Amino acid sequence: MNLVLLVLLLGAGFEAIAQTPQATTAAEPLPATTEPTEPTPPPNRWDYSLGAKVDMGNLRQPGQMSLRPTLGLRYGRWRVGTVEGANWYRFGQALQTSALTYDWIKTSKWQTGLSASVINLDQDADFDAFKSGRKTLRLRANLDYKFSRQWLAGLSLTQDVLGRGDGTTVSPTVTYIQPLDHDSAMLLSAYTTWGTAAHWQSTAARSPGSALRQDAGLGSWGAQITYRQRLTPRWAFYSQLSASQFINPVLPSGQAAVVGGQLGVIYFSH
């Protein structure tokens, strides 16, 4: 009799456990469709980078080596500087500008930018706006297209909007990117520049010992190779070697190419 009662009690207990799934599922999270959601805070639109570089403008003249700070700053579509996290994929591409730039269109394939800078027509200076001499405002429009993970093509157009002698230029570029691993890559970038006669005359006037060119045409070429390495999610290192040369008759015959280099470290805020 006791054995029968024990079996009945055990059976009742198992039945009670089987009939209480609601109690256990009530403590489980609700499905994603019914789960209450908290408002997502708006993204921080500011992005910046800080760094330093050793700049060797002409390796034929080692005395020109200098240590300079670098700054990249972005707010929305506006940015200053080429060294900033959102544009790291294209860092090392030729003819990048550090002037105030507005990123007009930016997709996975296309990128366009509009920028403006003050140009000194009488002397080649690092800070043209603060040096003596005639000045003008140069507008630049950049168009980049990403063919694949490894190939980028670009086009840069500049215009002297005040008509003071800087003229017009058109510069096609091509860049090959070779990833080495997840955090490093090598870039090889090349370009050439077509300009109006006014532009080449202005360029020659800023270069000592130069000869004037009287017509429009191709007047310069350049190439650079860049190695870049992510050290941590926020720190990066890069080295760069570049060469550029004017095409005769912008400069006297036999003018050697200018070869320069850079070494730098960058800290990214994001």
Side-chain angles (χ1 to χ4, degrees), residues 104-182:
W104 183 25
I105 298 174
K106 193 170 184 178
T107 68
S108 59
K109 293 288 187 181
W110 294 93
Q111 179 171 320
T112 62
L114 303 174
S115 61
S117 57
V118 176
I119 301 300
N120 194 317
L121 299 174
D122 292 334
Q123 56 180 313
D124 192 5
D126 292 332
F127 300 97
D128 287 355
F130 303 101
K131 296 290 185 177
S132 61
R134 296 178 302 115
K135 302 178 182 66
T136 191
L137 181 65
R138 175 192 290 173
L139 291 186
R140 178 189 295 268
N142 291 320
L143 173 65
D144 291 331
Y145 180 73
K146 180 181 175 183
F147 285 97
S148 65
R149 187 185 179 192
Q150 294 179 298
W151 288 98
L152 289 172
L155 188 66
S156 177
L157 297 90
T158 70
Q159 176 63 46
D160 177 3
V161 295
L162 301 182
R164 295 181 178 176
D166 191 50
T168 305
T169 68
V170 180
S171 302
T173 64
V174 61
T175 301
Y176 176 75
I177 304 173
Q178 178 59 58
L180 302 178
D181 55 38
H182 183 68

Side-chain angles (χ1 to χ4, degrees), residues 224-235:
Q224 65 186 33
I225 184 170
T226 303
Y227 170 76
R228 64 188 191 201
Q229 171 75 49
R230 283 277 193 181
L231 303 175
T232 70
R234 292 181 180 268
W235 286 95

